[in-house]
Amino acid sequence: MNFIKRIVAGPGDEIYIKEGHVFRRAPGQAVFKQEADSYIKPCSAGAAECNFVTPIRIPPGHWFMMGDNRGESDDSRFWGPVPTGWIIGGAFATYWPPDRIGTL
């Protein structure tokens, strides 16, 4: 089974998730910064699946993936970081919803 997910953090990054928003600290940085995420479908307030408040560090050779529909996505919050070898391609276009059809 294949999934299409967005990479939100890579090797060495530290992240936590609050109400579906990713806060990332890149290696060598002092503070967490919120991802620019105008593309996500917001989570319901207080939804447990939308919070991952204890920061984790992404191990070497792994990526943290999340779906844009944060409250309904089966992603790295449940599977953990994904090894590079499991990534089989990249997205190049969107087709849903219709008002967002286009290339990336």
Side-chain angles (χ1 to χ4, degrees):
M1 181 178 287
N2 296 323
F3 295 92
I4 296 176
K5 301 296 175 188
R6 188 177 299 272
I7 294 174
V8 297
D13 289 343
E14 288 182 82
I15 65 163
Y16 70 90
I17 301 157
K18 184 175 179 185
E19 297 178 3
H21 301 284
V22 174
F23 292 81
R24 184 175 68 90
R25 179 169 58 196
Q29 298 298 309
V31 298
F32 285 89
K33 293 183 180 178
Q34 184 176 344
E35 124 186 81
D37 60 6
S38 60
Y39 50 81
I40 72 167
K41 181 176 179 186
C43 293
S44 302
E49 65 274 6
C50 291
N51 293 297
F52 197 83
V53 295
T54 302
I56 64 164
R57 183 182 307 273
I58 311 306
H62 288 73
W63 305 86
F64 200 91
M65 318 286 241
M66 291 181 73
D68 291 353
N69 186 356
R70 300 284 163 92
E72 300 294 327
S73 181
D74 190 14
D75 53 36
S76 287
R77 292 171 291 169
F78 304 99
W79 330 313
V82 175
T84 300
W86 290 8
I87 299 172
I88 60 172
F92 59 89
T94 59
Y95 65 90
W96 197 260
D99 64 338
R100 289 178 50 197
I101 291 174
T103 58
L104 298 175

XYZ file of all heavy atoms in Angstrom:
815
model
N 0.852 -1.184 0.000
C 0.000 0.000 0.000
C 0.890 1.238 0.000
O 1.888 1.297 0.704
C -0.879 -0.011 1.251
C -1.801 1.162 1.302
S -2.907 1.193 2.726
C -4.039 -0.093 2.275
N 0.546 2.209 -0.807
C 1.297 3.462 -0.887
C 0.468 4.599 -0.325
O -0.757 4.589 -0.409
C 1.661 3.779 -2.337
C 2.596 2.754 -2.928
O 3.478 2.254 -2.251
N 2.413 2.433 -4.186
N 1.148 5.575 0.221
C 0.510 6.770 0.768
C 1.163 7.992 0.152
O 2.350 7.967 -0.156
C 0.704 6.848 2.290
C 0.028 5.749 3.046
C 0.697 4.582 3.348
C -1.277 5.896 3.488
C 0.080 3.570 4.063
C -1.901 4.894 4.201
C -1.224 3.722 4.485
N 0.401 9.060 0.013
C 0.970 10.343 -0.389
C 0.921 11.231 0.838
O -0.153 11.542 1.358
C 0.201 10.974 -1.560
C 0.322 10.091 -2.801
C 0.714 12.382 -1.834
C -0.471 10.570 -3.988
N 2.087 11.614 1.329
C 2.206 12.429 2.541
C 3.222 13.535 2.306
O 4.086 13.455 1.443
C 2.662 11.566 3.730
C 1.733 10.416 4.063
C 0.383 10.899 4.511
C -0.571 9.738 4.731
N -1.918 10.162 4.982
N 3.133 14.549 3.119
C 4.054 15.679 3.062
C 5.205 15.422 4.041
O 4.976 15.008 5.175
C 3.298 16.939 3.472
C 4.070 18.222 3.289
C 3.207 19.426 3.656
N 2.027 19.553 2.830
C 1.974 20.198 1.668
N 3.054 20.777 1.187
N 0.843 20.294 0.992
N 6.444 15.655 3.606
C 7.589 15.572 4.519
C 7.593 16.852 5.341
O 7.655 17.952 4.790
C 8.914 15.421 3.751
C 8.950 14.082 3.032
C 10.101 15.580 4.702
C 10.154 13.893 2.126
N 7.523 16.715 6.672
C 7.509 17.896 7.540
C 8.788 18.029 8.357
O 9.026 19.078 8.960
C 6.265 17.925 8.461
C 4.988 18.021 7.637
C 6.226 16.741 9.397
N 9.603 16.964 8.389
C 10.882 17.034 9.110
C 11.807 15.959 8.576
O 11.356 14.899 8.132
C 10.663 16.849 10.605
N 13.105 16.253 8.628
C 14.099 15.314 8.120
C 15.115 14.931 9.172
O 14.992 15.304 10.345
N 16.135 14.192 8.757
C 17.146 13.707 9.683
C 17.738 14.821 10.542
O 18.129 15.868 10.039
C 18.213 13.119 8.759
C 17.473 12.785 7.497
C 16.407 13.829 7.373
N 17.756 14.590 11.853
C 18.335 15.551 12.796
C 17.390 16.623 13.289
O 17.668 17.292 14.282
N 16.267 16.825 12.597
C 15.282 17.811 13.051
C 14.618 17.318 14.340
O 14.474 16.117 14.559
C 14.168 18.012 12.016
C 14.611 18.752 10.775
O 15.670 19.412 10.803
O 13.879 18.672 9.772
N 14.198 18.261 15.155
C 13.360 17.951 16.308
C 11.999 18.571 16.038
O 11.926 19.690 15.521
C 13.930 18.547 17.587
C 15.166 17.853 18.086
C 15.643 18.465 19.388
O 15.099 18.099 20.443
O 16.531 19.323 19.316
N 10.937 17.842 16.384
C 9.597 18.376 16.147
C 8.669 18.058 17.308
O 8.892 17.127 18.071
C 8.958 17.830 14.854
C 8.714 16.329 14.949
C 9.769 18.178 13.642
C 7.745 15.819 13.905
N 7.631 18.870 17.398
C 6.451 18.537 18.188
C 5.258 19.072 17.413
O 5.407 19.894 16.505
C 6.527 19.065 19.626
C 6.422 20.562 19.799
C 5.182 21.172 19.977
C 7.554 21.358 19.822
C 5.087 22.551 20.150
C 7.468 22.723 20.001
C 6.228 23.315 20.174
O 6.136 24.671 20.344
N 4.064 18.574 17.742
C 2.850 18.942 17.007
C 1.809 19.405 18.006
O 1.549 18.736 19.003
C 2.320 17.747 16.190
C 3.401 17.298 15.205
C 1.027 18.116 15.462
C 3.268 15.881 14.746
N 1.244 20.570 17.735
C 0.208 21.123 18.601
C -0.973 21.528 17.726
O -0.808 22.350 16.824
C 0.742 22.329 19.375
C -0.246 22.890 20.360
C 0.372 24.005 21.189
C -0.666 24.539 22.142
N -0.166 25.689 22.892
N -2.128 20.926 17.991
C -3.362 21.182 17.243
C -3.157 21.029 15.734
O -3.680 21.789 14.936
C -3.945 22.539 17.616
C -4.340 22.605 19.081
C -4.888 23.951 19.510
O -5.027 24.863 18.678
O -5.180 24.088 20.702
N -2.343 20.038 15.349
C -2.094 19.745 13.943
C -0.987 20.562 13.304
O -0.600 20.293 12.180
N -0.453 21.551 14.016
C 0.615 22.397 13.485
C 1.972 21.837 13.914
O 2.165 21.499 15.079
C 0.478 23.835 13.981
C -0.822 24.456 13.599
N -1.088 24.905 12.321
C -1.945 24.681 14.322
C -2.315 25.388 12.277
N -2.860 25.263 13.470
N 2.894 21.763 12.970
C 4.230 21.244 13.233
C 5.139 22.379 13.678
O 5.193 23.440 13.044
C 4.827 20.574 11.974
C 6.271 20.166 12.198
C 3.975 19.389 11.563
N 5.853 22.147 14.761
C 6.882 23.058 15.253
C 8.202 22.306 15.123
O 8.359 21.213 15.673
C 6.617 23.453 16.704
C 5.384 24.302 16.855
C 4.127 23.720 16.885
C 5.487 25.677 16.942
C 2.978 24.496 17.009
C 4.345 26.466 17.066
C 3.090 25.865 17.101
N 9.122 22.871 14.344
C 10.372 22.189 13.999
C 11.574 23.010 14.423
O 11.602 24.228 14.287
C 10.423 21.965 12.485
C 11.636 21.189 12.017
C 11.563 20.911 10.523
N 11.690 22.128 9.736
C 12.850 22.623 9.308
N 13.983 22.014 9.580
N 12.870 23.724 8.605
N 12.579 22.307 14.940
C 13.874 22.922 15.238
C 14.916 22.156 14.435
O 15.138 20.967 14.652
C 14.184 22.846 16.730
C 15.522 23.463 17.072
C 15.754 23.649 18.542
N 15.653 22.392 19.272
C 15.512 22.324 20.586
N 15.431 23.411 21.304
N 15.428 21.147 21.182
N 15.514 22.842 13.486
C 16.548 22.233 12.642
C 17.831 22.081 13.448
O 18.054 22.806 14.421
C 16.788 23.109 11.412
N 18.692 21.139 13.048
C 19.970 20.983 13.750
C 20.724 22.312 13.818
O 20.783 23.049 12.847
C 20.725 19.969 12.883
C 19.651 19.203 12.182
C 18.551 20.201 11.942
N 21.244 22.630 14.987
C 22.002 23.860 15.181
C 21.158 25.083 15.492
O 21.704 26.144 15.770
N 19.851 24.967 15.452
C 18.964 26.096 15.752
C 18.575 26.077 17.232
O 18.478 25.015 17.836
C 17.712 26.047 14.886
C 17.997 26.159 13.404
C 18.646 27.490 13.049
O 18.160 28.544 13.424
N 19.756 27.432 12.342
N 18.302 27.234 17.782
C 17.988 27.342 19.203
C 16.497 27.216 19.515
O 16.136 26.808 20.603
C 18.513 28.678 19.747
N 15.651 27.582 18.566
C 14.210 27.615 18.859
C 13.408 26.809 17.835
O 13.829 26.619 16.699
C 13.666 29.061 18.898
C 14.319 29.869 20.005
C 13.852 29.749 17.567
N 12.241 26.366 18.272
C 11.291 25.704 17.385
C 10.548 26.777 16.596
O 10.185 27.816 17.148
C 10.269 24.896 18.197
C 10.819 23.616 18.751
C 11.430 23.580 19.989
C 10.705 22.434 18.031
C 11.925 22.400 20.509
C 11.200 21.237 18.542
C 11.814 21.221 19.783
N 10.305 26.510 15.308
C 9.542 27.429 14.469
C 8.346 26.686 13.895
O 8.477 25.536 13.466
C 10.399 27.989 13.334
C 11.508 28.883 13.826
C 12.280 29.480 12.677
C 13.384 30.365 13.242
N 14.189 30.939 12.175
N 7.199 27.363 13.865
C 5.993 26.747 13.315
C 6.095 26.681 11.803
O 6.496 27.639 11.146
C 4.748 27.530 13.711
C 3.476 26.868 13.229
C 2.219 27.582 13.693
O 2.244 28.392 14.604
N 1.112 27.276 13.061
N 5.722 25.536 11.251
C 5.717 25.370 9.805
C 4.681 26.306 9.182
O 3.640 26.560 9.775
C 5.433 23.895 9.480
C 4.268 23.617 8.599
C 3.940 22.134 8.431
O 3.295 21.563 9.306
O 4.306 21.581 7.384
N 4.978 26.833 8.013
C 4.007 27.629 7.253
C 3.031 26.626 6.655
O 3.384 25.875 5.759
C 4.717 28.421 6.164
N 1.816 26.567 7.172
C 0.923 25.458 6.842
C -0.473 25.894 6.426
O -1.469 25.304 6.814
C 0.841 24.482 8.005
C 0.322 25.109 9.290
O -0.091 26.285 9.277
O 0.312 24.419 10.318
N -0.554 26.878 5.563
C -1.862 27.353 5.107
C -2.600 26.283 4.304
O -3.801 26.398 4.086
C -1.693 28.616 4.255
O -0.892 28.331 3.130
N -1.922 25.234 3.889
C -2.495 24.170 3.073
C -3.217 23.091 3.897
O -3.901 22.247 3.332
C -1.403 23.492 2.242
C -0.223 23.095 3.086
C -0.246 21.925 3.842
C 0.899 23.903 3.160
C 0.818 21.583 4.641
C 1.960 23.561 3.953
C 1.917 22.397 4.691
O 2.964 22.059 5.496
N -3.055 23.064 5.225
C -3.649 21.972 5.998
C -5.121 22.199 6.297
O -5.604 23.335 6.313
C -2.894 21.690 7.319
C -3.125 22.791 8.364
C -1.428 21.451 7.074
C -2.665 22.428 9.754
N -5.812 21.089 6.535
C -7.173 21.153 7.044
C -7.035 21.112 8.562
O -6.477 20.161 9.113
C -8.001 19.974 6.545
C -9.432 20.029 7.039
C -10.264 18.903 6.460
C -11.678 18.999 7.023
N -12.488 17.852 6.600
N -7.497 22.153 9.261
C -7.292 22.234 10.709
C -7.920 21.066 11.463
O -8.865 20.431 11.012
C -7.976 23.543 11.090
C -8.105 24.304 9.822
C -8.207 23.294 8.728
N -7.390 20.817 12.633
C -7.905 19.793 13.533
C -9.002 20.371 14.418
O -9.067 21.578 14.626
C -6.798 19.303 14.450
S -5.507 18.404 13.601
N -9.812 19.482 14.945
C -10.790 19.899 15.950
C -10.038 20.280 17.215
O -9.032 19.660 17.547
C -11.748 18.755 16.262
O -12.397 18.332 15.093
N -10.515 21.276 17.916
C -9.862 21.709 19.157
C -9.800 20.552 20.142
O -10.787 19.871 20.380
C -10.614 22.882 19.758
N -8.631 20.314 20.687
C -8.448 19.286 21.705
C -8.377 17.864 21.185
O -8.347 16.923 21.978
N -8.356 17.651 19.879
C -8.299 16.295 19.322
C -6.945 15.670 19.654
O -5.906 16.198 19.277
C -8.532 16.327 17.822
N -6.962 14.542 20.354
C -5.726 13.896 20.801
C -4.793 13.553 19.637
O -3.575 13.680 19.753
C -6.049 12.641 21.600
N -5.353 13.111 18.492
C -4.522 12.725 17.352
C -3.819 13.916 16.712
O -2.928 13.751 15.901
C -5.342 11.967 16.294
C -6.419 12.776 15.634
C -7.750 12.811 16.383
O -7.843 12.292 17.505
O -8.690 13.395 15.828
N -4.196 15.116 17.078
C -3.589 16.324 16.510
C -2.502 16.914 17.404
O -1.973 17.975 17.100
C -4.670 17.364 16.244
S -5.753 16.870 14.897
N -2.200 16.235 18.490
C -1.175 16.718 19.408
C -0.122 15.646 19.632
O -0.436 14.480 19.864
C -1.802 17.127 20.739
C -2.696 18.329 20.576
O -2.230 19.404 20.215
N -3.975 18.152 20.797
N 1.109 16.061 19.552
C 2.274 15.204 19.752
C 3.269 16.131 20.444
O 4.178 16.657 19.822
C 2.769 14.773 18.367
C 3.680 13.595 18.330
C 3.166 12.307 18.344
C 5.040 13.768 18.235
C 4.016 11.220 18.264
C 5.893 12.691 18.151
C 5.384 11.411 18.166
N 2.988 16.426 21.717
C 3.637 17.562 22.373
C 5.031 17.295 22.934
O 5.750 18.235 23.253
C 2.728 18.158 23.472
C 1.464 18.753 22.851
C 2.368 17.119 24.519
N 5.430 16.038 23.058
C 6.784 15.745 23.514
C 7.702 15.736 22.298
O 7.520 14.916 21.391
C 6.837 14.380 24.231
O 5.935 14.398 25.325
C 8.240 14.075 24.719
N 8.670 16.655 22.232
C 9.544 16.717 21.055
C 10.298 15.409 20.822
O 10.697 14.728 21.776
C 10.519 17.843 21.387
C 9.806 18.683 22.386
C 8.991 17.720 23.199
N 10.452 15.058 19.557
C 11.272 13.911 19.168
C 12.298 14.382 18.145
O 12.076 15.358 17.438
C 10.434 12.753 18.577
C 9.753 13.164 17.268
C 9.425 12.228 19.582
C 9.241 11.993 16.452
N 13.410 13.668 18.088
C 14.450 13.944 17.083
C 14.322 12.883 15.992
O 14.239 11.689 16.281
C 15.846 13.906 17.693
C 16.941 14.271 16.703
C 18.343 14.179 17.300
N 18.474 14.922 18.527
C 18.799 16.221 18.618
N 19.018 16.909 17.520
N 18.905 16.813 19.779
N 14.332 13.320 14.740
C 14.232 12.404 13.617
C 15.604 11.757 13.405
O 16.609 12.461 13.267
C 13.774 13.135 12.325
C 12.539 14.011 12.583
C 13.537 12.132 11.210
C 11.361 13.302 13.216
N 15.654 10.410 13.420
C 16.953 9.735 13.300
C 17.563 9.874 11.902
O 16.856 10.164 10.932
C 16.633 8.271 13.615
C 15.169 8.111 13.498
C 14.550 9.476 13.608
N 18.869 9.632 11.794
C 19.521 9.671 10.478
C 18.812 8.736 9.502
O 18.391 7.629 9.863
C 20.946 9.183 10.765
C 21.153 9.460 12.224
C 19.805 9.283 12.870
N 18.681 9.183 8.257
C 18.090 8.359 7.217
C 16.585 8.181 7.312
O 16.025 7.288 6.680
N 15.908 9.040 8.077
C 14.457 8.954 8.254
C 13.797 10.308 8.036
O 14.443 11.349 8.138
C 14.116 8.453 9.664
C 14.406 7.010 9.864
N 15.681 6.514 9.986
C 13.576 5.954 9.963
C 15.632 5.212 10.151
N 14.354 4.841 10.144
N 12.481 10.259 7.781
C 11.686 11.450 7.490
C 10.365 11.358 8.228
O 9.794 10.272 8.352
C 11.448 11.556 5.986
C 12.742 11.543 5.236
C 13.440 10.441 4.823
C 13.529 12.667 4.893
N 14.609 10.815 4.218
C 14.688 12.181 4.256
C 13.369 14.034 5.052
C 15.686 13.020 3.770
C 14.363 14.866 4.564
C 15.494 14.367 3.939
N 9.868 12.481 8.716
C 8.577 12.513 9.404
C 7.552 13.024 8.404
O 7.696 14.102 7.851
C 8.635 13.427 10.630
C 7.553 13.158 11.630
C 7.763 12.259 12.672
C 6.326 13.791 11.534
C 6.768 12.007 13.606
C 5.326 13.546 12.456
C 5.549 12.652 13.498
N 6.538 12.201 8.144
C 5.531 12.489 7.118
C 4.178 12.759 7.765
O 3.821 12.097 8.729
C 5.346 11.286 6.200
C 6.628 10.608 5.793
S 7.477 11.600 4.617
C 7.510 10.519 3.248
N 3.432 13.713 7.196
C 2.081 13.980 7.670
C 1.178 14.294 6.490
O 1.612 14.872 5.503
C 2.063 15.166 8.637
C 2.735 14.864 9.966
S 2.676 16.250 11.108
C 0.948 16.209 11.564
N -0.087 13.911 6.627
C -1.088 14.268 5.637
C -1.583 15.682 5.887
O -1.494 16.201 6.999
N -2.137 16.306 4.868
C -2.640 17.672 5.012
C -3.946 17.729 5.794
O -4.245 18.734 6.420
C -2.833 18.320 3.643
C -1.505 18.595 2.947
O -0.439 18.418 3.568
O -1.547 18.986 1.766
N -4.722 16.655 5.784
C -5.953 16.588 6.568
C -5.560 16.027 7.939
O -5.758 14.855 8.248
C -6.983 15.685 5.874
C -8.317 15.685 6.570
O -8.493 16.284 7.622
N -9.264 14.990 5.978
N -4.960 16.872 8.748
C -4.279 16.453 9.966
C -5.136 15.654 10.942
O -4.646 14.758 11.605
C -3.678 17.671 10.679
C -2.658 18.431 9.821
C -1.343 17.672 9.760
N -0.480 18.106 8.688
C 0.451 19.044 8.776
N 0.614 19.716 9.882
N 1.217 19.303 7.747
N -6.409 15.954 11.047
C -7.262 15.230 11.984
C -7.647 13.844 11.518
O -8.099 13.024 12.309
N -7.462 13.541 10.240
C -7.903 12.259 9.679
C -6.769 11.457 9.039
O -7.016 10.403 8.473
C -8.994 12.508 8.618
C -10.212 13.205 9.146
C -10.982 12.368 10.157
O -11.000 11.126 10.026
O -11.555 12.957 11.087
N -5.554 11.937 9.115
C -4.449 11.303 8.394
C -3.775 10.209 9.219
O -3.476 10.384 10.393
C -3.410 12.364 8.027
O -2.347 11.782 7.321
N -3.509 9.088 8.559
C -2.690 8.017 9.129
C -1.278 8.309 8.647
O -1.000 8.221 7.453
C -3.204 6.671 8.622
C -2.583 5.496 9.344
O -1.953 5.680 10.400
O -2.726 4.374 8.837
N -0.386 8.690 9.558
C 0.931 9.162 9.138
C 1.981 8.873 10.195
O 1.776 8.014 11.059
C 0.871 10.652 8.764
C 0.258 11.528 9.845
O 0.471 11.255 11.044
O -0.431 12.507 9.494
N 3.109 9.577 10.167
C 4.219 9.308 11.077
C 3.881 9.492 12.554
O 4.590 8.978 13.403
C 5.438 10.173 10.723
O 6.046 9.696 9.543
N 2.802 10.190 12.853
C 2.381 10.271 14.257
C 2.014 8.892 14.784
O 2.102 8.624 15.972
C 1.190 11.208 14.426
C 1.540 12.668 14.158
C 0.311 13.515 14.118
N -0.462 13.180 12.922
C -1.699 13.588 12.697
N -2.330 14.315 13.587
N -2.315 13.270 11.573
N 1.623 8.002 13.887
C 1.221 6.649 14.257
C 2.259 5.606 13.870
O 2.458 4.640 14.590
C -0.133 6.320 13.610
C -1.187 7.321 13.976
C -1.519 8.350 13.108
C -1.817 7.266 15.214
C -2.477 9.292 13.450
C -2.777 8.212 15.565
C -3.102 9.221 14.682
N 2.949 5.770 12.708
C 3.935 4.788 12.259
C 5.343 5.098 12.724
O 6.209 4.247 12.671
C 4.054 4.692 10.747
C 2.903 4.964 9.874
C 1.631 4.499 10.007
C 2.915 5.754 8.678
N 0.870 4.943 8.955
C 1.626 5.715 8.133
C 3.906 6.481 8.018
C 1.290 6.363 6.959
C 3.563 7.119 6.859
C 2.267 7.061 6.337
N 5.625 6.352 13.041
C 6.988 6.773 13.337
C 7.665 7.293 12.077
O 7.087 7.269 10.984
N 8.902 7.785 12.210
C 9.635 8.291 11.048
C 9.829 7.192 9.995
O 9.974 6.020 10.317
C 10.970 8.742 11.638
C 10.638 9.045 13.071
C 9.620 8.014 13.462
N 9.833 7.595 8.723
C 9.895 6.672 7.593
C 11.330 6.618 7.050
O 11.924 7.663 6.771
C 8.927 7.157 6.485
C 9.039 6.302 5.243
C 7.502 7.174 7.008
N 11.884 5.400 6.869
C 13.230 5.291 6.294
C 13.263 5.812 4.853
O 12.303 5.629 4.096
C 13.517 3.788 6.308
C 12.514 3.178 7.224
C 11.330 4.093 7.229
N 14.360 6.411 4.469
C 14.512 6.953 3.118
C 14.180 5.915 2.053
O 13.537 6.231 1.045
C 15.948 7.484 2.914
O 16.189 8.519 3.873
C 16.160 8.036 1.521
N 14.562 4.677 2.251
C 14.329 3.624 1.268
C 12.861 3.317 1.014
O 12.529 2.671 0.017
N 11.982 3.760 1.889
C 10.550 3.528 1.698
C 9.903 4.607 0.838
O 8.758 4.466 0.436
C 9.835 3.473 3.036
C 10.140 2.260 3.850
C 11.079 1.294 3.618
C 9.505 1.898 5.081
N 11.064 0.367 4.627
C 10.109 0.710 5.536
C 8.501 2.472 5.841
C 9.720 0.080 6.710
C 8.122 1.843 7.017
C 8.719 0.658 7.440
N 10.607 5.695 0.583
C 10.062 6.788 -0.220
C 10.272 6.433 -1.691
O 11.393 6.198 -2.126
C 10.724 8.130 0.142
C 10.458 8.445 1.622
C 10.212 9.250 -0.764
C 11.222 9.636 2.157
N 9.162 6.405 -2.448
C 9.263 5.922 -3.826
C 9.036 6.999 -4.876
O 9.121 6.722 -6.063
C 8.292 4.747 -4.068
C 6.850 5.165 -3.836
C 8.676 3.559 -3.221
C 5.831 4.115 -4.237
N 8.742 8.207 -4.479
C 8.523 9.248 -5.481
C 8.166 10.560 -4.839
O 8.083 10.679 -3.628
N 7.928 11.531 -5.671
C 7.551 12.856 -5.206
C 6.280 13.320 -5.875
O 5.988 12.926 -7.006
N 5.530 14.138 -5.191
C 4.308 14.694 -5.772
C 4.677 15.827 -6.726
O 5.649 16.548 -6.505
C 3.396 15.208 -4.673
N 3.891 15.982 -7.783
C 4.146 17.056 -8.737
C 2.891 17.865 -9.051
O 2.972 18.904 -9.677
C 4.763 16.513 -10.029
C 3.899 15.504 -10.730
C 2.955 15.903 -11.654
C 4.025 14.162 -10.438
C 2.151 14.962 -12.294
C 3.234 13.221 -11.075
C 2.280 13.619 -11.997
N 1.718 17.377 -8.601
C 0.467 18.084 -8.892
C -0.584 17.761 -7.838
O -0.473 16.765 -7.130
C -0.061 17.696 -10.265
N -1.594 18.617 -7.740
C -2.753 18.346 -6.891
C -3.981 18.256 -7.787
O -4.064 18.925 -8.818
C -2.978 19.456 -5.842
O -3.162 20.699 -6.516
C -1.807 19.572 -4.884
N -4.912 17.392 -7.385
C -6.149 17.269 -8.156
C -7.392 17.385 -7.287
O -8.501 17.386 -7.792
C -6.168 15.949 -8.938
C -6.209 14.722 -8.067
C -7.423 14.165 -7.673
C -5.041 14.110 -7.640
C -7.447 13.040 -6.869
C -5.074 12.997 -6.845
C -6.290 12.460 -6.459
O -6.310 11.349 -5.656
N -7.185 17.486 -5.970
C -8.336 17.635 -5.077
C -7.945 18.555 -3.940
O -6.825 18.436 -3.442
C -8.754 16.260 -4.535
C -10.117 16.301 -3.968
C -10.448 16.398 -2.648
C -11.343 16.277 -4.682
N -11.793 16.437 -2.517
C -12.377 16.358 -3.757
C -11.657 16.218 -6.038
C -13.705 16.372 -4.126
C -12.982 16.205 -6.394
C -13.998 16.283 -5.445
N -8.778 19.414 -3.528
C -10.093 19.738 -4.076
C -9.962 20.478 -5.412
O -8.906 21.039 -5.720
C -10.723 20.640 -3.013
C -9.570 21.254 -2.306
C -8.447 20.260 -2.364
N -11.026 20.477 -6.189
C -10.968 21.055 -7.537
C -10.467 22.493 -7.599
O -9.795 22.859 -8.567
C -12.413 20.953 -8.037
C -12.979 19.788 -7.301
C -12.329 19.834 -5.932
N -10.725 23.288 -6.573
C -10.266 24.675 -6.612
C -8.754 24.797 -6.385
O -8.196 25.877 -6.484
C -11.034 25.550 -5.631
C -10.830 25.171 -4.179
O -10.454 24.010 -3.894
O -11.047 26.044 -3.319
N -8.070 23.672 -6.106
C -6.627 23.689 -5.912
C -5.884 22.850 -6.966
O -4.727 22.523 -6.790
C -6.280 23.182 -4.508
C -6.684 24.187 -3.431
C -6.410 23.720 -2.028
N -5.059 23.230 -1.837
C -4.690 22.488 -0.803
N -5.543 22.161 0.130
N -3.449 22.066 -0.684
N -6.534 22.510 -8.067
C -5.885 21.744 -9.125
C -4.719 22.564 -9.669
O -4.849 23.746 -9.952
C -6.878 21.406 -10.267
C -7.914 20.408 -9.769
C -6.123 20.866 -11.481
C -9.021 20.130 -10.768
N -3.566 21.887 -9.790
C -2.404 22.576 -10.343
C -1.112 21.827 -10.039
O -1.122 20.778 -9.400
N -0.015 22.370 -10.497
C 1.296 21.769 -10.246
C 1.862 22.325 -8.940
O 1.483 23.401 -8.490
C 2.264 22.060 -11.398
O 2.373 23.469 -11.563
C 1.792 21.414 -12.689
N 2.758 21.557 -8.375
C 3.403 21.984 -7.115
C 4.703 22.697 -7.376
O 5.318 22.562 -8.353
C 3.649 20.757 -6.234
C 2.400 20.012 -5.817
C 2.776 18.742 -5.054
C 1.538 20.881 -4.936
